[in-house]
Amino acid sequence: MSLTNNVREDVPTWLKSEDLPSHDYFIRLSRKRGWRNNFWILVLKKCIRQAALAVAMCCVSGMEAQDSLRTQNIEEVVVTADRSRRANVFETTPVQSLSGDDIRTMGLQNLADAVKKFAGTAVKDYGGIGGMKTVSVRNLGAQHTAVSYDGVTMSNTQAGQIDIGRLSLDNVGLLSMAVGQGSDMMQSARHYASAAILSIETEQPSLQKGERQLRFGLTGGSWGQVNPKLRYWQGLGKGTTATLDADFMRADGNYPFTLKNGTEVTEQRRNNSDISQWHVEGNILQQWSDSSRLAVKAYFYRSERGLPGSVILYNDKSEERLWDENFFAQTTYEKALGKQWRLALRGKYTHSWNRYEDTDVKYADGKTVQTNRQDEYYASATLGWQPLKWLEMAVAEDVAFNKLHTTVNGSPNPLRFTSLSALAAKARWGRLTVEANLVATFAKETLTESEIYAIRTPDDRKKLSPSISLNFRVLPEEALYVRALVKQTFRMPTFNDLYYLQIGNTSLRPENANEYGLGVTWNSRRWGILKYVTLTVDGYYNNVTDKIVAFPSTYVWKMVNFGKVEAKGLDATIGTELEMAKDFGLAASATLTLQDAKDKTEGSATYGSQLPYTPKTSGGLSAMLSTPWINIGYSATGQGKRYSLAQNTRQYQLDAYMEHSLSLSRQLNIKRVGELTLQLTVNNLTNKQYEIIKYYPMPGRSVTATAVIKI
């Protein structure tokens, strides 16, 4: 019987050929001519026939090869695909990502520069290579943003925020920012409890026993920057790999800047801005044949830096010094328990130490020294269950024990026990996906020296925080989605909020945040040389109540639950990639953030004012051009005007700025040696003078050169 017996006579003749048109053409033609059902039967038969023919040819070829060679070994081929620039379209919550290759092509020098590329994020940067850098998402505050390193969150219970400036970009495989929480059902309860998550995933090698890879790099740059780095990967056995990453960096940091005082303009140099730091990180990775996986990591960081302080008129003197140590060891284990169940276990120990020293005549002894030590013991377990094809569920439990020892007079040494329990579910019905979770928090604290300082132990804290998000595919044949998010979160008072000197307040309540979001996402099909276009537009409304602020009392300032904040905004992203010719490609993306964040504290003198350091407009763009000879990366980030204080007056205004960077790189294959990569990066190409934090001038134009050899 002919293949065309069951279809209309006007079926096109190309069905008898070996070349089949695109899926889009099938759908348009079948709808137009009214023979969709039989048409697809015909196409299916055609595909089966071609597949059978291909299998038969492979079998014949295999028998012929066996007759002549008996055996034939085929090297393993690993197929990978980068979906990082498109993954956010399909999520129920806004997710933005940068791959490690994109980060290196653009010549980004530190993690803060990479995070600035994400819409809706604000990085507080105190300037210089060693300046502190913290990240906040949609005006919720840095304490509401979790920083995850290979699936386990980092912690700082004393200050509540992570300095991302000390994290290296050299071994990053994927960097992503999620509002709400990520879509992985097997994440920890800490992830579910966070208002936003900055996730750092390091590169994970896959080597056979005896295989090894060595990479050595050296970066030199302006203001005395020297940065050697080493990476070593070793295959230890079947599914077992060991990795080692180490780097050292030092810089004088005495960059020039322009100081304006009325009509007088003078050229100055930053003082006390030097830094010396090193970091080493080791991993053991084990992958078993049953898909279970074990990862063990040890990380150590140490630095000494000067704190340059603020520049007020002509007084830029600073003799403040800071020493930091951070060590953590973590392990994760994942295993599938049959077809329906999955298990993820995590454990971590963190030790943090810092020493602050300031020399000044205002101190009785001419100098003050403070040391702080934090320790955390953390364990997490997540059990996932998929009873039906369209339904996934998970329960997660995290427990943490934190303690602080400080030499600051008048501050006790607190201990905190925290339990986080999360119940999550994800359901898919046709084109609709719904995710929901409920997080229960319990925290208990004790004070080892409460009697000495006459400080009351805080009450136990209990809180339930629900969240729901969804997306709906508007058209069945188009990747066009509508998504929505409603989430309640809170952040615990930090040890500094509760106990620091005389301003701490042990009666503080948790700071509550409510997030509401509504967005549209779209991803195009390939069209000629245009591989795709990705577009996301998300509007949001956030309000924070019981905001913890320092408030003046009769004699001293005191931490109180006084503030209320409302933030409305819109985040938009667009990305595309062109395949112009063989070995020629262009990838480009842009972000835009519009935000209106106001102080809504009743009775406040700044009621209705824009929040400090919150521009109404910010954004950035990037482009990466790849050619057979050289790769070119360009990026720009900028902010509109903003204010350093809640009083929105010209006196406290910071001017708008746009910073441009350009990077050129070339990859060379050297016989019997390895792969050599050379890169030249110019940051702040136009030598723009600007400030992110008032009185902390940012560096002007700088140049870095990098050489990396991979053996």
Side-chain angles (χ1 to χ4, degrees), residues 153-295:
T153 53
M154 306 180 75
S155 68
N156 184 335
T157 311
Q158 181 183 7
Q161 54 191 3
I162 302 297
D163 179 7
I164 62 174
R166 62 179 174 82
L167 298 175
S168 174
L169 275 178
D170 294 328
N171 62 343
V172 172
L174 183 66
L175 180 69
S176 62
M177 173 66 76
V179 178
Q181 69 279 328
S183 61
D184 182 12
M185 294 293 292
M186 299 302 294
Q187 61 193 312
S188 67
R190 273 186 173 177
H191 284 66
Y192 283 114
S194 301
I197 302 171
L198 175 63
S199 179
I200 305 161
E201 297 179 24
T202 59
E203 293 181 306
Q204 305 289 319
S206 179
L207 301 176
Q208 301 300 317
K209 183 178 181 180
E211 293 182 338
R212 61 178 59 89
Q213 186 180 113
L214 176 65
R215 191 174 79 174
F216 176 77
L218 179 63
T219 297
S222 302
W223 314 307
Q225 180 183 352
V226 179
N227 181 202
K229 36 203 163 186
L230 173 70
R231 168 180 293 176
Y232 181 70
W233 290 351
Q234 173 74 55
L236 300 180
K238 186 176 181 181
T240 308
T241 307
T243 73
L244 178 68
D245 287 273
D247 65 81
F248 169 81
M249 194 267 288
R250 60 89 53 205
D252 300 326
N254 57 342
Y255 54 87
F257 65 94
T258 301
L259 179 64
K260 295 182 180 180
N261 179 22
T263 59
E264 185 177 357
V265 178
T266 59
E267 299 298 326
Q268 304 285 326
R269 277 193 174 270
R270 206 71 167 108
N271 295 320
N272 197 38
S273 190
D274 63 292
I275 184 171
S276 174
Q277 67 177 28
W278 61 277
H279 133 264
V280 61
E281 176 179 339
N283 296 272
I284 298 291
L285 308 171
Q286 174 66 54
Q287 182 77 48
W288 286 280
S289 57
D290 63 353
S291 297
S292 56
R293 178 178 176 274
L294 175 68

Side-chain angles (χ1 to χ4, degrees), residues 36-183:
R36 176 170 183 162
N37 293 336
N38 290 332
F39 175 76
W40 284 111
I41 294 174
L42 173 61
V43 172
L44 181 61
K45 289 182 178 180
K46 185 74 172 179
C47 293
I48 293 174
R49 189 184 74 174
Q50 299 306 315
L53 179 61
V55 172
M57 292 179 66
C58 290
C59 292
V60 172
S61 299
M63 287 187 291
E64 290 176 352
Q66 188 176 19
D67 290 339
S68 58
L69 301 176
R70 294 301 178 185
T71 61
Q72 182 177 3
N73 295 324
I74 302 176
E75 294 183 1
E76 178 184 358
V77 177
V78 179
V79 180
T80 61
D82 180 14
R83 297 179 62 249
S84 63
R85 289 186 292 273
R86 292 190 276 174
N88 56 1
V89 170
F90 310 100
E91 307 289 353
T92 62
T93 58
V95 180
Q96 303 169 72
S97 303
L98 276 175
S99 70
D101 290 339
D102 291 344
I103 290 171
R104 285 178 277 276
T105 300
M106 287 188 288
L108 301 178
Q109 299 300 304
N110 56 66
L111 190 65
D113 290 340
V115 173
K116 291 174 185 177
K117 306 299 178 188
F118 297 142
T121 61
V123 176
K124 283 191 175 181
D125 191 333
Y126 290 81
I129 298 174
M132 183 177 180
K133 299 165 177 62
T134 61
V135 59
S136 172
V137 178
R138 294 184 175 181
N139 291 287
L140 293 173
Q143 292 90 347
H144 288 271
T145 302
V147 178
S148 172
Y149 200 78
D150 280 337
V152 184
T153 53
M154 306 180 75
S155 68
N156 184 335
T157 311
Q158 181 183 7
Q161 54 191 3
I162 302 297
D163 179 7
I164 62 174
R166 62 179 174 82
L167 298 175
S168 174
L169 275 178
D170 294 328
N171 62 343
V172 172
L174 183 66
L175 180 69
S176 62
M177 173 66 76
V179 178
Q181 69 279 328
S183 61

Side-chain angles (χ1 to χ4, degrees), residues 388-605:
L388 301 168
K389 184 178 180 180
W390 54 270
L391 178 63
E392 295 180 70
M393 301 184 71
V395 58
E397 175 65 29
D398 288 14
V399 293
F401 179 75
N402 297 84
K403 61 180 181 178
L404 170 68
H405 183 272
T406 180
T407 62
V408 178
N409 291 329
S411 299
N413 296 317
L415 308 174
R416 175 182 290 177
F417 171 79
T418 307
S419 169
L420 294 170
S421 305
L423 179 63
K426 177 191 291 187
R428 299 182 181 88
W429 296 282
R431 288 179 278 162
L432 177 66
T433 301
V434 179
E435 299 182 31
N437 64 73
L438 180 65
V439 179
T441 304
F442 172 78
K444 182 180 182 63
E445 292 182 24
T446 58
L447 303 178
T448 57
E449 299 171 347
S450 58
E451 299 84 2
I452 298 177
Y453 300 112
I455 296 177
R456 184 182 69 86
T457 301
D459 296 332
D460 296 345
R461 297 175 179 86
K462 303 175 184 178
K463 186 76 174 180
L464 285 176
S465 304
S467 172
I468 184 169
S469 60
L470 60 89
N471 72 2
F472 178 73
R473 187 166 185 166
V474 180
L475 301 174
E477 292 86 19
E478 289 288 338
L480 176 63
Y481 295 83
V482 174
R483 62 187 178 194
L485 166 70
V486 178
K487 186 179 179 72
Q488 288 186 359
T489 59
F490 74 99
R491 70 108 167 164
M492 292 281 294
T494 67
F495 284 161
N496 283 349
D497 293 335
L498 295 167
Y499 312 113
Y500 187 72
L501 296 176
Q502 297 181 15
I503 71 171
N505 180 2
T506 58
S507 299
L508 288 174
R509 299 182 300 276
E511 186 176 289
N512 296 292
N514 297 297
E515 302 175 74
Y516 307 91
L518 182 64
V520 178
T521 69
W522 174 67
N523 190 85
S524 73
R525 293 186 176 90
R526 179 163 188 149
W527 184 42
I529 65 171
L530 195 66
K531 295 178 68 174
Y532 68 86
V533 175
T534 297
L535 177 67
T536 70
V537 180
D538 289 279
Y540 65 87
Y541 170 76
N542 297 335
N543 72 72
V544 179
T545 57
D546 283 338
K547 189 170 179 63
I548 299 172
V549 296
F551 192 78
S553 62
T554 307
Y555 301 104
V556 297
W557 289 67
K558 200 77 171 175
M559 305 302 296
V560 297
N561 292 107
F562 183 76
K564 180 179 180 181
V565 169
E566 291 186 0
K568 296 174 286 186
L570 183 143
D571 295 336
T573 71
I574 186 170
T576 187
E577 189 171 345
L578 289 81
E579 200 171 60
M580 298 178 292
K582 184 179 180 181
D583 298 326
F584 286 83
L586 175 65
S589 63
T591 64
L592 174 66
T593 296
L594 306 176
Q595 53 190 339
D596 184 73
K598 299 292 181 64
D599 178 6
K600 294 295 184 179
T601 306
E602 295 292 339
S604 171

